[in-house]
Amino acid sequence: MASIHDVAKEAGVSVATVSKVINHYPDVSEKTRKKVKLAIARLRYRPNVIARGLVTGRSWTVGVLLHVPFTNPYVSMLLEGMKTALEHSGYDLMRLSARLNDPDYSFIDHCHSRNLDGIVVFGVEKDHRSIQELIQAGIPTMFVDTDATGLRAGNITTDNRNGIRMAVQHLFELGHRRIAYLAGVPGQDVNELRLAGYREGLGAFSLAYREDYVVDGDYSYDSGFQGMNRLMELDVPPTAVICTSDMAAFGAIRAIEARGFTVPGDISVVGFDNIFETELFKPGLTTINQNIHAIGVKSIEELIAMIKDPKYPPPVVTEPSSLVIRESTGIAKVIT
C-alpha cells in the first residue's frame, strides 16, 4: 500500500505539499496540485483518516440534523446539493438523530461525542433549547430556513416573502380577488415570512386580508387536503389558493377534484418549492421556485469556510425565488 512519502516522491514534491493538497489548502499552485493528484491516482493512495485528523485537528466529518420527515421531497433535493458540495471537499456527512423533546437530552454532548467539525440544521426553530446551546457552544453551524445566527453560526434561506408576493400578483393579474392561503406551522420562521409576503401581496393590490382565508397546516399533503376542504366549506370560498409547499398544493388540488370541481377551471392553485414532482403532477403545478439543490450546496460550502477559518464571518445568505407558471393557474371565472 502506497504511503504519503511514495506520493511525494512520485510527484517530485515534499510530503508537506502532498498534505496540503489532500487537506485542500489554497496555497498550492494548480500545476503542483495536478501533479500530486495524478500521483495519488497512479499509486491508488488513500489517506489515513485518523492520522489526518491528528495532523489537522479535525474529524473531517460534518453532521446534518434534519428534523423533518425524510419522505419530504425537499429533503432529498437538499441532501443531493450537500452531497455535490462534499464530493471534492474531503469531508464526510453524518446524519444526526436527536431527542429534542427530551429535557434530559443534550444535543451538544451528542455532537461532541461524534467529534463533528460542523453542523447543518434544518427544521428546528432558533428558540429551541438545544439550538441555543449549539449556538453558544461555538460549533460552526449553518441553519437552513431558520433565522438564527451566532459567533460561529450562519443561515441560508430563500426569499420567502417575495416569492409569495409574486404568487399573489400572478393570481391578481389572472383576475382573482378571493385569494386564500394554506399556511405552515405558526411560529416557524419560514411560515411567518411567507405569511408576511401574503399579507403584503394582498395590500399591494388593495385586497382585504381575511382571517377565514388563512388555514394553518404542516406543509404535508394531508394538511393541504384538509385545509382546502375547510376553505371550500366557507359561504364565499376562494377562487384561488396559495400553498406554503408543493406537497400541500397537491393535497389541495385533490380535495378540489374530490368535490367535483376542476383546477384551474374553478379554482387556481399555486405551490411553493418547485420539487421534482411538480412537472409530473396533473395538472402541472404553478409554484414558487426555490433552488433547493443550490441551498444544499451553499450550506456546505459556507460551513466548510467557517470550519477552515475561525475568523470567517458567519454568512447570512438569501437565495432568490422565482415564479414557475404551469397548468394549475388560470383566468378567474368571475372578478369580484
Side-chain angles (χ1 to χ4, degrees):
M1 182 180 293
S3 69
I4 192 170
H5 297 278
D6 297 326
V7 174
K9 183 177 180 181
E10 178 76 13
V13 299
S14 68
V15 170
T17 298
V18 175
S19 178
K20 285 184 176 183
V21 172
I22 293 171
N23 294 308
H24 305 277
Y25 283 86
D27 57 336
V28 180
S29 71
E30 192 58 32
K31 181 180 178 181
T32 300
R33 193 179 300 276
K34 288 180 179 178
K35 283 171 58 179
V36 172
K37 287 185 175 180
L38 185 61
I40 289 172
R42 195 157 40 228
L43 297 175
R44 298 184 178 181
Y45 171 68
R46 295 291 180 269
N48 184 304
V49 176
I50 295 175
R52 190 174 166 208
L54 291 173
V55 171
T56 62
R58 302 177 193 160
S59 67
W60 296 94
T61 302
V62 295
V64 57
L65 174 61
L66 300 170
H67 200 53
V68 292
F70 266 59
T71 52
N72 188 326
Y74 182 103
V75 172
S76 61
M77 295 174 73
L78 185 69
L79 287 173
E80 190 61 32
M82 293 181 184
K83 177 185 172 185
T84 298
L86 287 165
E87 280 177 354
H88 304 292
S89 70
Y91 284 84
D92 290 317
L93 186 68
M94 178 186 293
R95 178 196 167 190
L96 300 174
S97 299
R99 303 192 307 275
L100 297 181
N101 295 323
D102 183 348
D104 298 321
Y105 172 82
S106 171
F107 182 59
I108 285 300
D109 289 346
H110 186 78
C111 294
H112 283 317
S113 69
R114 280 148 183 79
N115 194 30
L116 299 172
D117 290 336
I119 302 164
V120 176
V121 178
F122 173 59
V124 189
E125 288 309 295
K126 62 184 176 184
D127 57 355
H128 193 284
R129 172 182 58 85
S130 293
I131 296 309
Q132 287 302 310
E133 289 176 355
L134 178 62
I135 293 172
Q136 293 165 15
I139 299 174
T141 303
M142 279 297 291
F143 293 95
V144 176
D145 267 345
T146 298
D147 182 23
T149 55
L151 290 176
R152 301 282 281 149
N155 67 69
I156 181 168
T157 189
T158 296
D159 190 347
N160 291 289
R161 294 171 81 131
N162 191 50
I164 296 293
R165 286 196 298 261
M166 284 188 285
V168 174
Q169 178 177 345
H170 171 62
L171 293 170
F172 183 86
E173 290 172 350
L174 289 173
H176 295 280
R177 301 296 182 263
R178 302 202 305 267
I179 303 170
Y181 182 58
L182 294 183
V185 179
Q188 289 188 351
D189 289 337
V190 65
N191 179 70
E192 298 309 309
L193 287 169
R194 292 179 188 177
L195 184 58
Y198 170 69
R199 299 190 74 146
E200 290 167 6
L202 294 179
F205 297 103
S206 301
L207 299 178
Y209 174 84
R210 295 178 48 165
E211 294 284 352
D212 59 344
Y213 271 20
V214 178
V215 180
D216 293 331
D218 62 6
Y219 314 98
S220 69
Y221 177 97
D222 287 344
S223 74
F225 189 92
Q226 295 164 11
M228 193 69 234
N229 277 324
R230 285 180 58 184
L231 291 172
M232 295 189 72
E233 289 168 1
L234 296 173
D235 291 338
V236 183
T239 63
V241 60
I242 300 169
C243 304
T244 193
S245 72
D246 290 337
M247 292 303 296
F250 294 157
I253 290 173
R254 291 298 178 251
I256 293 166
E257 293 174 340
R259 288 175 175 256
F261 296 97
T262 63
V263 175
D266 296 300
I267 301 177
S268 288
V269 178
V270 180
F272 199 114
D273 285 335
N274 198 26
I275 60 176
F276 176 72
E277 291 81 357
T278 52
E279 291 186 271
L280 305 177
F281 195 82
K282 298 299 179 185
L285 183 65
T286 295
T287 187
I288 300 302
N289 176 64
Q290 54 173 333
N291 195 334
I292 304 169
H293 186 273
I295 290 173
V297 170
K298 192 70 173 176
S299 67
I300 291 295
E301 289 178 343
E302 294 290 355
L303 180 65
I304 291 175
M306 283 193 287
I307 292 169
K308 288 183 174 180
D309 182 2
K311 295 182 180 179
Y312 187 81
V316 175
V317 182
T318 302
E319 288 286 322
S321 54
S322 59
L323 178 67
V324 179
I325 300 175
R326 297 194 181 96
E327 295 80 34
S328 68
T329 51
I331 296 172
K333 280 186 173 181
V334 180
I335 298 176
T336 56

